[in-house]
Amino acid sequence: GQTMKMTTLRFSIPAGTEEGTRLRMRSRGQPAPKGKGQQGDLFIEIEVEEHPWFERSGPDLIMSLPLGYADLVLGTTVSLDHLDGKNLTIKVPAGTNSGDTLEIRKRGLPGRRSGGRGDVIVLVKLHMPKKVDKKSKKALQELRSSLAPKDLIDRIKKDASDRRS
């Protein structure tokens, strides 16, 4: 039988490489039988680790951003650690709706062929607290009428027509 020889291989992974990509290293595979002929090739299949909050869509990165009602009404700025080592700053404009998307151009992953970069797409959601203390509930009771839609039926109709268009 043949003895196994340990070898350390260095190889580079192109920026923007996706899950399942196979890299081929010529003549780095199994030696030819009895040492006659060409050594086989080594194939390396890339597995991409999951990120705690980004999902990948080609070169774009998609994330969800759950914010409190006050942040949606008044606007806010959120700063997060980012893959490129520079902070990702998400400016949420006043009056942003739950379900709106914000795009941060050119902060996604490098494109494999294009050479450009993808975008970060932020899906804004309303965070619903599990518990609300008595003091906050009381304040909300006082604000309820001023925050409620005045024209509920018109609102329902407008949403229905927006969905159909």
Side-chain angles (χ1 to χ4, degrees):
Q2 283 187 332
T3 57
M4 292 292 281
K5 193 178 84 181
M6 292 294 282
T7 310
T8 303
L9 285 178
R10 295 184 92 87
F11 57 93
S12 56
I13 300 170
T17 297
E18 296 190 38
E19 178 86 30
T21 301
R22 291 180 83 193
L23 304 177
R24 178 181 186 177
M25 298 189 73
R26 291 186 184 283
S27 307
R28 290 298 202 155
Q30 196 168 339
K34 300 190 181 76
K36 292 180 173 59
Q38 197 110 35
Q39 192 170 340
D41 293 344
L42 170 67
F43 286 92
I44 299 161
E45 186 165 323
I46 304 299
E47 263 183 48
V48 179
E49 251 185 292
E50 260 189 19
H51 189 273
W53 59 80
F54 286 126
E55 269 173 74
R56 182 173 177 170
S57 174
D60 294 337
L61 294 171
I62 301 167
M63 66 171 284
S64 167
L65 182 64
L67 294 173
Y69 181 69
D71 285 335
L72 296 181
V73 173
L74 304 171
T76 188
T77 300
V78 178
S79 190
L80 298 169
D81 289 334
H82 193 40
L83 301 174
D84 58 15
K86 295 190 283 285
N87 268 12
L88 181 71
T89 303
I90 305 166
K91 290 184 177 71
V92 181
T96 296
N97 217 328
S98 181
D100 286 356
T101 53
L102 305 171
E103 274 186 41
I104 304 161
R105 313 285 297 170
K106 305 277 177 243
R107 292 296 301 276
L109 298 172
R112 278 294 306 261
R113 297 177 233 324
S114 61
R117 287 182 79 112
D119 303 327
V120 174
I121 297 157
V122 181
L123 175 61
V124 179
K125 289 184 168 174
L126 173 63
H127 165 74
M128 286 303 287
K130 293 272 180 275
K131 285 197 175 83
V132 181
D133 60 58
K134 278 200 177 101
K135 197 174 159 190
S136 301
K137 273 189 181 158
K138 199 170 150 60
L140 273 174
Q141 290 287 3
E142 289 166 23
L143 287 171
R144 186 199 295 252
S145 62
S146 70
L147 295 175
K150 302 287 177 273
D151 48 356
L152 188 59
I153 297 300
D154 291 347
R155 277 285 192 32
I156 292 170
K157 288 178 183 170
K158 185 189 178 316
D159 267 28
S161 86
D162 288 351
R163 270 200 320 277
R164 291 185 193 111
S165 60

